[in-house]
Amino acid sequence: MKLSLAIVAFALAIPTLNFAQDSTAVSNDQQYPNTFSSGSANVSKFTQESKRFNDWSISAGAGVPMIQAGDLTSIKNGNGKNLFGYSFYASVDKAITHAFGLKLQYDRGETRQGWFNTKDAAPANSSLYQRVGARTQYDGISILGDVNLSNLLRRVDNKSPFRWALHGYAGVGVLGYRAYQKDDKSQRLATEVELFKQTSFFGQAGAGLKYKINRRLDIEGRLMYVYTGDDEFDGGGAQYSDINKREDQISDNFINATLGLSLKLGKHESHLMWHDPLQEMYWKLDVLAEKNQDIEVCKKGDLDNDGVCDDWDRELTTPAGARVDGAGVALDTDLDGVIDLYDQCVTVPGPVENNGCPTAVPVDSGTVIGTDTTLEGIEFDLNSDRILPSTTPILNNAVSYINSSAGTYTVIGATDTRASEAYNQKLSERRANSVKNYLIKNGVEASKLSAVGKGEKSLKYPECEPAEKCPEWKNRANRRVYFEAK
């Protein structure tokens, strides 16, 4: 039976190895996409930088264990009175997906069972059958599977932030214990099983109800049923002793009710186990639905006839005949400040005075002549510092431009006005460093670049404060990175 429990648990754990967070970072090396991928250009190896959620935590708690099945029990059921022990647990927790995780848990405690508490003397006026008390000190190490039942069963119409979650647990481990028996004569060690020195497997399963206090702390009430597989755990002595013949079962099992805290580790805003993909999907659908409605209405028309409605056209004075992007901005392929319509060297950057064609770069004290060099379109998703696939052509052109100049540049990150000012400052710094690292990885000398974050203090559209005052495309334009020549 003990060996079967270990085999079953191992078999159930194998499928979880196939689950992990997906990465959306773009890979530019020659290894991806390859024959083992889907062929998408947006395939890359999973790294710590591409993670979106925290997935590690540590937990600890204390509770009350009570032997429920045994020859000597803790629960009054005709052969004694309720006797309460104590227990403690500590675990390291890893979330594999939003609905499944693993725990490496250590349990320690003491159960009290029999007809009286071993702290007291045996009752002299009772029968010989009733003059037996026992206590068991135990240690256990186990691996538990953690299923977030709430994330599996959430109603899709519940769009409020989640603070309650129901979890199910099951797992196996090794057990060590010392069982003491007391009667009217003395108290003695009845059975001892040393942890790791003797083979004693046990299993436990149960459920817990978690409440999210804040982004770092959860509180949880948990009820577990522990199957020991051992007839001597309750302190009844040898397997075929008179006490161990009182009941037919061959496993002394106990219930453990605990209350504990979980500390979520990591730099991200939320934990993977509190993330519901359905809510994110429905939020994105709502955003798309609003945009589709704008497309159908197009209330303000198309003043510059560039094919982009003025409702979301970011450049309302596009010259006739100029090619534009989806936001109505005239294309400038080489990012030299001369739109393609007037640029005589479309793919090579050059000054406006030379119709967009390169000339010798004038040098003044080692820097490029001019004060600002901006690159439009380096934008980011909400609450993210990941470089989007749509911005990589812009950044690749920036690599060529910076390498061809003798100047140095500051990479500046910015955000919209959602979240707190302190959080936005850190997010803008991560965005600036993300772009800086991309440029260095693709050939720009590190000495030419520095990165700073300006948070929500450098809005491209200052009227978007708060963010609810503006359409989403303006807020997205505020979530950007731009350059300044030093």
Side-chain angles (χ1 to χ4, degrees):
M1 174 63 72
K2 299 174 184 176
L3 184 60
S4 299
L5 281 172
I7 294 173
V8 170
F10 180 73
L12 292 175
I14 290 177
T16 66
L17 300 177
N18 295 323
F19 295 93
Q21 296 183 53
D22 59 322
S23 169
T24 55
V26 176
S27 174
N28 291 285
D29 55 32
Q30 299 303 313
Q31 297 179 0
Y32 286 82
N34 54 33
T35 55
F36 301 101
S37 72
S38 64
S40 168
N42 195 33
V43 177
S44 67
K45 292 180 179 179
F46 178 76
T47 64
Q48 291 298 314
E49 289 73 23
S50 63
K51 288 170 59 176
R52 296 176 56 196
F53 307 97
N54 300 325
D55 52 11
W56 286 97
S57 61
I58 54 176
S59 303
V64 178
M66 301 181 71
I67 291 185
Q68 177 269 336
D71 302 283
L72 300 174
T73 65
S74 307
I75 302 174
K76 184 176 180 179
N77 56 0
N79 61 342
K81 62 180 180 179
N82 295 333
L83 298 175
F84 302 98
Y86 64 88
S87 66
F88 167 83
Y89 74 87
S91 67
V92 177
D93 314 326
K94 167 69 174 177
I96 308 299
T97 72
H98 74 292
F100 183 79
L102 292 175
K103 292 177 176 287
L104 178 61
Q105 180 165 303
Y106 169 72
D107 291 276
R108 183 180 180 86
E110 179 179 291
T111 62
R112 298 189 178 104
Q113 57 274 357
W115 291 87
F116 64 94
N117 194 323
T118 55
K119 293 182 178 180
D120 305 324
N125 57 350
S126 60
S127 66
L128 183 63
Y129 183 88
Q130 298 176 347
R131 296 178 191 173
V132 181
R135 62 188 178 92
T136 304
Q137 298 173 339
Y138 66 88
D139 296 273
I141 297 177
S142 57
I143 295 178
L144 298 176
D146 176 3
V147 179
N148 188 335
L149 299 172
S150 293
N151 268 354
L152 291 176
L153 305 174
R154 294 281 189 201
R155 298 186 309 165
V156 297
D157 59 338
N158 185 354
K159 299 182 181 180
S160 60
F162 298 132
R163 285 194 173 272
W164 294 95
L166 179 64
H167 288 246
Y169 304 104
V172 295
V174 291
L175 181 69
Y177 67 90
R178 294 183 302 278
Y180 297 88
Q181 183 184 123
K182 184 176 182 178
D183 53 23
D184 55 352
K185 297 178 181 179
S186 65
Q187 179 174 272
R188 57 195 173 277
L189 179 64
T191 307
E192 181 175 11
V193 175
E194 296 188 38
L195 188 64
F196 296 118
K197 291 186 178 180
Q198 296 168 264
T199 304
S200 181
F201 292 102
F202 79 107
Q204 57 178 324
L209 184 62
K210 278 190 176 183
Y211 177 77
K212 182 180 179 182
I213 300 175
N214 53 43
R215 62 182 290 262
R216 286 295 181 193
L217 281 177
D218 296 337
I219 189 171
E220 180 184 27
R222 192 185 299 180
L223 185 65
M224 303 292 290
Y225 188 82
V226 181
Y227 177 90
T228 69
D230 194 324
D231 198 23
E232 301 178 31
F233 182 86
D234 63 352
Q239 185 174 3
Y240 299 106
S241 67
D242 291 337
I243 294 176
N244 276 334
K245 291 180 181 179
R246 294 183 179 183
E247 301 291 341
D248 294 333
Q249 83 283 336
I250 59 173
S251 175
D252 300 330
N253 308 326
F254 64 92
I255 297 169
N256 193 14
T258 59
L259 183 66
L261 290 172
S262 294
L263 175 63
K264 293 164 281 189
L265 308 175
K267 64 180 181 179
H268 299 284
E269 190 68 16
S270 60
H271 190 273
L272 182 58
M273 275 287 193
W274 284 104
H275 176 67
D276 183 3
L278 281 178
Q279 299 307 313
E280 184 174 355
M281 178 184 71
Y282 278 96
W283 177 80
K284 289 183 177 180
L285 286 176
D286 289 343
V287 173
L288 290 174
E290 293 175 2
K291 289 185 177 180
N292 288 338
Q293 184 177 4
D294 290 341
I295 293 172
E296 295 172 1
V297 175
C298 200
K299 297 178 180 179
K300 299 180 181 179
D302 181 11
L303 184 63
D304 53 7
N305 295 314
D306 60 359
V308 179
C309 290
D310 292 349
D311 299 64
W312 57 89
D313 195 331
R314 294 165 56 184
E315 187 177 78
L316 297 175
T317 58
T318 304
R323 295 184 302 141
V324 298
D325 60 18
V329 177
L331 295 179
D332 179 9
T333 302
D334 54 12
L335 304 173
D336 58 1
V338 181
I339 65 174
D340 292 353
L341 179 65
Y342 304 133
D343 199 330
Q344 296 182 9
C345 300
V346 175
T347 60
V348 181
V352 176
E353 296 78 8
N354 202 37
N355 297 320
C357 289
T359 61
V361 179
V363 176
D364 181 13
S365 300
T367 60
V368 176
I369 294 298
T371 57
D372 293 304
T373 301
T374 60
L375 295 178
E376 297 293 337
I378 307 177
E379 299 172 351
F380 294 83
D381 284 337
L382 180 65
N383 192 28
S384 173
D385 59 0
R386 299 193 314 278
I387 294 175
L388 299 172
S390 59
T391 64
T392 53
I394 300 173
L395 293 174
N396 291 338
N397 282 325
V399 171
S400 301
Y401 181 83
I402 294 173
N403 284 339
S404 67
S405 74
T408 58
Y409 296 85
T410 300
V411 184
I412 301 173
T415 70
D416 60 21
T417 57
R418 294 186 178 94
S420 67
E421 183 175 344
Y423 179 80
N424 285 336
Q425 176 62 32
K426 292 180 180 179
L427 178 59
S428 67
E429 292 170 1
R430 296 203 305 271
R431 286 173 176 170
N433 281 305
S434 179
V435 171
K436 174 187 171 183
N437 293 337
Y438 180 94
L439 297 176
I440 293 173
K441 181 180 178 181
N442 285 273
V444 175
E445 294 180 11
S447 60
K448 285 190 170 187
L449 299 173
S450 61
V452 298
K454 293 190 176 180
E456 58 187 59
K457 297 178 181 179
S458 181
L459 298 176
K460 185 173 182 178
Y461 293 97
E463 67 270 19
C464 295
E465 186 176 359
E468 290 75 13
K469 290 184 177 181
C470 291
E472 180 58 26
W473 67 263
K474 284 190 177 182
N475 287 319
R476 187 176 185 86
N478 284 332
R479 303 192 296 265
R480 74 197 196 282
V481 162
Y482 61 95
F483 296 78
E484 283 187 0
K486 295 183 180 179

